[in-house]
Amino acid sequence: MAGHQLVTTALRMQNITKAFGPTVALNNVSLTIRPGTVHALVGENGAGKSTLMKILSGVLAPDTGSMELFGKSYSPKNPIAARNHGIAMIYQELSLAPDLTVEENLTLGIEPNTAGILKIKKIRQLAIDALEVFNHPEIHPQIKVGKLSIAACQLVEIARALVIGCKILVLDEPTSSLAAEDVEKLFQLINKLKSQGIAVIYISHFLEEVRKIADTVTVLRDGQIAAADLPAKTSDEELIKHMVG
């Protein structure tokens, strides 16, 4: 169609290298993520997964290499710049303020205001809209986050990512503290986000989960790509072989 270019790549990281003194954490790593897909990133501890995601989310700058978001050059100076580009990173240790309400957490740092006066109605509506996706009536906008379960807190973190308009959502070991039924609910939510065109990067040690939720898998080993874009149905044996070499 004239005037419309179909975007087939959400993220392209090319030849990313990062060293800390004599330790090379990433060596010439390239990664391509498509919109509306779940791409699993697996590897042993110290393989470079976290360093790669810290570069994506603006926490670290690469020594060499380049990144593109939806076909445009991307080099965030800090996490806020990454967030403004639609990158949302949800770590194992959730970063919510327990003494604040759900709606206050959702809009923290991006509170709608006029001349410094908060627009309470707008904040509430943003929270209601974001939480509607989850179908979890117990997560009320005005409840304090400290009163919620771990699973509910995780949903609030994901809702916050939606409020900022995230296009790429990074989940780092998201099920490590969840019960089986909550894992199932999380997977339903991930599939819903996928259907909205959001790209999900899923970091996990649980290979059975990876097979269940991911479309493709990339394996990192010793700071390098050991295997890229494997189908998610790849056997545990083969994945482990790539992971340990």
Side-chain angles (χ1 to χ4, degrees), residues 29-32 34 39-41 216-220 224-231 234 238-239 242:
V29 169
S30 296
L31 182 69
T32 300
R34 288 176 287 282
H39 194 109
L41 204 53
T216 46
V217 184
T218 288
V219 183
L220 277 171
Q224 293 179 297
I225 298 286
D229 288 324
L230 295 171
T234 303
E238 195 176 333
L239 287 174
H242 287 305

Side-chain angles (χ1 to χ4, degrees), residues 141-207:
Q142 287 158 277
I143 194 171
K144 286 201 173 173
V145 160
K147 293 185 174 172
L148 295 174
S149 68
I150 288 175
C153 286
Q154 194 171 50
L155 293 181
V156 173
E157 282 261 28
I158 295 171
R160 186 160 69 175
L162 299 184
V163 168
I164 67 160
C166 91
K167 301 181 188 85
I168 297 176
L169 177 66
V170 182
L171 296 170
D172 185 6
E173 301 286 353
T175 63
S176 54
S177 312
L178 298 186
E181 65 186 76
D182 291 322
V183 171
E184 207 45 59
K185 285 175 184 168
L186 177 67
F187 284 1
Q188 286 168 14
L189 173 60
I190 289 171
N191 283 323
K192 194 180 269 190
L193 299 179
K194 236 176 86 166
S195 70
Q196 295 170 5
I198 292 172
V200 178
I201 299 175
Y202 191 91
I203 300 171
S204 182
H205 282 98
F206 302 118
L207 299 181

Side-chain angles (χ1 to χ4, degrees), residues 13 16-17 24-31 39-55 201-205 207 217-230 238-245:
M13 304 179 83
I16 301 290
T17 297
V24 179
L26 294 170
N27 185 6
N28 218 28
V29 169
S30 296
L31 182 69
H39 194 109
L41 204 53
V42 302
E44 295 191 294
N45 287 339
K49 305 184 299 290
S50 295
T51 306
L52 190 64
M53 291 302 100
K54 281 177 179 172
I55 287 170
I201 299 175
Y202 191 91
I203 300 171
S204 182
H205 282 98
L207 299 181
V217 184
T218 288
V219 183
L220 277 171
R221 183 174 78 239
D222 299 331
Q224 293 179 297
I225 298 286
D229 288 324
L230 295 171
E238 195 176 333
L239 287 174
I240 290 166
K241 192 172 76 182
H242 287 305
M243 283 162 70
V244 299

